[in-house]
Amino acid sequence: MNPSRRRALQLLGLTGFVAVAGKTAWLQVVQGPDLAEKARAERTLTWTNVALRGNICGRDGTVLATSSVSFDIGVNQVLVAQWEDKVEQDSPTTGLPETVVVGHGPAAAADRLAPILGVDAAELGARMVGESTYSVIAEAVPPDTWRQIKALGIRGIEPDQRVRRTYPAGYVAGNVVGLTAEGEGRVLEGTAGVEITQDEQLTGINGSGSMEVGRTGTQIPSGRVTETASIPGATVTLTIDPDLQVLAQQAIDEVVTAQGAEWGCCVVMEPSTGEVLVMADSRTVDPANPIGSAAGDRGVRCVEAVFEPGSVGKVVTFAAALEEGAVTPEDTWTVPYSWTSANGQSFVDSHAHGVEQLTTAQVLAESSNVGTVQIGERLADDVRYAYMERFGWGAPTGIELPGESAGLLTPPSEWDDRTRYTTMFGQGIAGTTLQSAQVLATIANNGVRVAPRVIASWTAADGTVTRQARPEGVRVVSEATARTLTDMLVGVTQEGGTAKEASIDGYLVAGKTGTTEIISEDATVASFVGFTPAHDPAIAAAVIVNKPSGIYGGVVAAPVFRTIALAALHKLGIAPDPSVIATAKAHQGAQAAPSDQDRASATPGQG
């Protein structure tokens, strides 16, 4: 061969070798890691470790809401149709192990799955036939069951991991606990009650995992495996006492049914801490079955529904008059059945009576509208308005629940000639059950208003407990005024008062009835709000019944208050007051002992 030609061919071969070597080096050194990572990604199976939503518990630790992981089992009907059920067995001819196909398709898959799922194989097989790439064949399967299914290695059987919310206590505090629904990525989200206001705290942090698998879907022994555990959401502990809550819900449902009322509410709170022990609505929703309740029964009426407080509003008028020094409990008032103001507005009491001479304390005990407006006239409108604001009317309490109403409180500049007077006895303004409870709780707490709350603490996944800070109190009236008004409110539940049905043997009860006309509907709102023991209050409570067949709060609501308050006193370990018992026995003895005249009349021969 020509030397020149030989050198040319050698040079061409060398060039080709260098090019191939360079390409190889490029693939191995430069692109190699990327290509390896891409290949690894293609054979890597990833999953999400779904975080559990935090629990919601009562103040005693009773679990009101909890979560669990379960699986919905889906089938890819296209892939299952191609699946072969293979078993390893010894060959009858050679005696060596061999793989044998013993079945294929939906029928074979159903035969394997049916015993685990506890269903009929034929029916299951029929549901696995078709062209769908995902069809659910079993819901809410526990993790252990899914592990058994996964071990079968049936291609086309796919899990859908989900967190489901359960409510072990049923309807107990259902309105307060609230509701959830699946949001984006099937993550549970709060839609009502504490579930929504505490959604961020209750929501956990998902983990993840991955492993390398072969073409058959089995794990590669030497492959990379990663695992990041999920972090559950925090446990939210409520101030609600489940035992008292159950009793209150039953009592409210009973009075609503007996009275043919539209709805009823009850709130029980600790005056000094603001902690709400009971927040009961009639027909309380069961969070596990919200569609079983009407839409209007799924919220929290105790903080959403507003009404005119009626005579409960007189407490604010009397508190303002006492605090401003405009009246004393002993002042005397001429109280006719009907009274007309200087601007021509006429007012009457609930019951016809002649002209009476009543003290300030008696005006409150008998809930006289006529006496109240005379007392209210002693105060300037802007002064009374300021006290209504201080007691909490017209502003949300800040309770940790959604949809709280601020109520309705217009300034004096918007009052007409009649509203100026009606606001003195709780009409022309509107508030919630919780706001009514807050008014009496303020008097019970020596004149200091403490914002109510329903959350006691949060417990993180690592066990760290964060307690709710006690709200800072707001001085509304002096201790002296609170004590004086307390004594006057005790008279409401004694003989001659409007709420003797609220009295509790062995305890002093201070409170106020309320009866508000709903003129547009020819109906009333009956209420009783009070606290006990009067001179060392443990609880303040409000009972509201909307549109009862009965009229007066002392008849409709006061007995319910007594039932719930007595149970609360027993639960809190508040013993009866011996002095109250002794006074009651002495009074009963005085009534039972006949006078000299009675004895003379009973003597034979005396006429």
Side-chain angles (χ1 to χ4, degrees), residues 428-503:
I429 62 175
T432 65
T433 303
L434 183 59
Q435 287 175 325
S436 292
Q438 183 177 240
V439 169
L440 271 291
T442 299
I443 302 301
N445 194 38
N446 293 317
V448 176
R449 173 168 56 85
V450 178
R453 54 198 174 112
V454 76
I455 303 296
S457 65
W458 301 266
T459 304
D462 63 1
T464 302
V465 178
T466 303
R467 300 196 179 280
Q468 172 85 289
R470 181 178 294 189
E472 186 176 347
V474 177
R475 171 65 66 185
V476 178
V477 295
S478 67
E479 288 188 34
T481 294
R483 287 195 299 269
T484 298
L485 188 52
T486 294
D487 290 337
M488 294 168 62
L489 290 169
V490 168
V492 174
T493 65
Q494 302 297 303
E495 196 68 44
T498 59
K500 193 174 183 300
E501 291 297 320
S503 63

Side-chain angles (χ1 to χ4, degrees), residues 354-584:
V355 177
E356 298 176 328
Q357 298 297 314
L358 302 178
T359 64
T360 303
Q362 289 173 325
V363 169
L364 182 62
E366 297 184 17
S367 198
S368 168
N369 294 334
V370 170
T372 299
V373 293
Q374 293 182 64
I375 292 169
E377 275 202 316
R378 292 277 185 96
L379 299 170
D381 291 345
D382 59 341
V383 172
R384 285 195 302 106
Y385 177 77
Y387 277 96
M388 286 189 276
E389 284 190 310
R390 289 183 206 171
F391 273 100
W393 297 121
T397 66
I399 194 78
E400 309 96 327
L401 291 168
E404 183 185 14
S405 173
L408 176 65
L409 177 64
T410 57
S413 60
E414 298 181 20
W415 294 351
D416 58 26
D417 287 346
R418 187 163 188 81
T419 302
R420 175 177 182 257
Y421 287 95
T422 60
T423 53
M424 297 176 186
F425 51 82
Q427 295 184 13
I429 62 175
T432 65
T433 303
L434 183 59
Q435 287 175 325
S436 292
Q438 183 177 240
V439 169
L440 271 291
T442 299
I443 302 301
N445 194 38
N446 293 317
V448 176
R449 173 168 56 85
V450 178
R453 54 198 174 112
V454 76
I455 303 296
S457 65
W458 301 266
T459 304
D462 63 1
T464 302
V465 178
T466 303
R467 300 196 179 280
Q468 172 85 289
R470 181 178 294 189
E472 186 176 347
V474 177
R475 171 65 66 185
V476 178
V477 295
S478 67
E479 288 188 34
T481 294
R483 287 195 299 269
T484 298
L485 188 52
T486 294
D487 290 337
M488 294 168 62
L489 290 169
V490 168
V492 174
T493 65
Q494 302 297 303
E495 196 68 44
T498 59
K500 193 174 183 300
E501 291 297 320
S503 63
I504 304 173
D505 291 343
Y507 303 88
L508 282 182
V509 175
K512 188 70 191 76
T513 54
T515 304
T516 306
E517 291 183 83
I518 308 175
I519 299 175
S520 61
E521 301 184 46
D522 190 26
T524 63
V525 178
S527 60
F528 180 84
V529 187
F531 55 90
T532 188
H535 295 134
D536 187 16
I539 61 164
V543 176
I544 312 297
V545 182
N546 191 55
K547 301 180 184 178
S549 57
I551 298 176
Y552 300 107
V555 175
V556 175
V560 182
F561 168 91
R562 179 172 56 193
T563 298
I564 296 171
L566 182 58
L569 292 169
H570 289 170
K571 185 67 186 290
L572 297 173
I574 309 298
D577 186 338
S579 65
V580 174
I581 296 174
T583 300

Side-chain angles (χ1 to χ4, degrees), residues 53 177-179 189-200 202 402:
R53 188 172 178 85
V177 170
L179 309 171
E189 298 176 349
T191 60
V194 170
E195 292 277 25
I196 189 171
T197 64
Q198 303 299 299
D199 190 64
E200 183 177 349
L202 290 165

Side-chain angles (χ1 to χ4, degrees), residues 80-313:
V80 165
Q82 304 167 13
W83 178 72
E84 293 180 335
D85 187 5
K86 301 177 181 179
V87 297
E88 295 289 334
Q89 63 182 37
D90 294 337
S91 170
T93 56
T94 66
L96 298 175
E98 64 177 0
T99 301
V100 178
V101 176
V102 295
H104 68 275
D111 286 340
R112 289 295 197 99
L113 290 170
I116 298 174
L117 294 175
V119 297
D120 181 75
E123 292 181 3
L124 180 61
R127 295 172 60 191
M128 298 171 69
V129 175
E131 300 296 324
S132 173
T133 57
Y134 185 79
S135 177
V136 177
I137 57 174
E139 292 184 337
V141 169
D144 284 346
T145 301
W146 162 242
R147 280 191 282 271
Q148 295 179 57
I149 294 173
K150 181 181 178 181
L152 297 176
I154 301 174
R155 189 163 178 254
I157 299 300
E158 303 166 354
D160 184 7
Q161 187 180 21
R162 300 172 66 179
V163 173
R164 285 182 165 86
R165 201 66 161 157
T166 56
Y167 301 90
Y171 81 128
V172 179
N175 299 64
V176 177
V177 170
L179 309 171
T180 59
E182 286 187 337
E184 185 177 351
R186 287 195 164 177
V187 176
L188 287 177
E189 298 176 349
T191 60
V194 170
E195 292 277 25
I196 189 171
T197 64
Q198 303 299 299
D199 190 64
E200 183 177 349
Q201 291 81 358
L202 290 165
T203 301
I205 301 174
N206 287 342
S208 62
S210 66
M211 66 178 180
E212 293 182 55
V213 296
R215 291 184 177 181
T216 61
T218 58
Q219 181 180 353
I220 298 175
S222 60
R224 181 186 299 175
V225 177
T226 64
E227 186 82 21
T228 302
S230 61
I231 301 175
T235 292
V236 176
T237 300
L238 305 182
T239 61
I240 297 294
D241 185 298
D243 292 337
L244 293 179
Q245 182 74 22
V246 169
L247 182 141
Q249 287 180 194
Q250 292 173 345
I252 286 295
D253 280 337
E254 287 173 4
V255 72
V256 166
T257 299
Q259 290 287 330
E262 186 174 77
W263 53 263
C265 289
C266 175
V267 169
V268 179
M269 61 185 290
E270 292 181 345
S272 62
T273 67
E275 292 193 1
V276 175
L277 306 182
V278 168
M279 187 170 283
D281 289 352
S282 57
R283 299 185 298 274
T284 297
V285 66
D286 180 353
N289 181 35
I291 61 174
S293 297
D297 293 331
R298 298 175 198 165
V300 190
R301 281 201 180 94
C302 289
V303 303
E304 296 173 2
V306 296
F307 53 89
E308 290 185 331
S311 294
V312 174

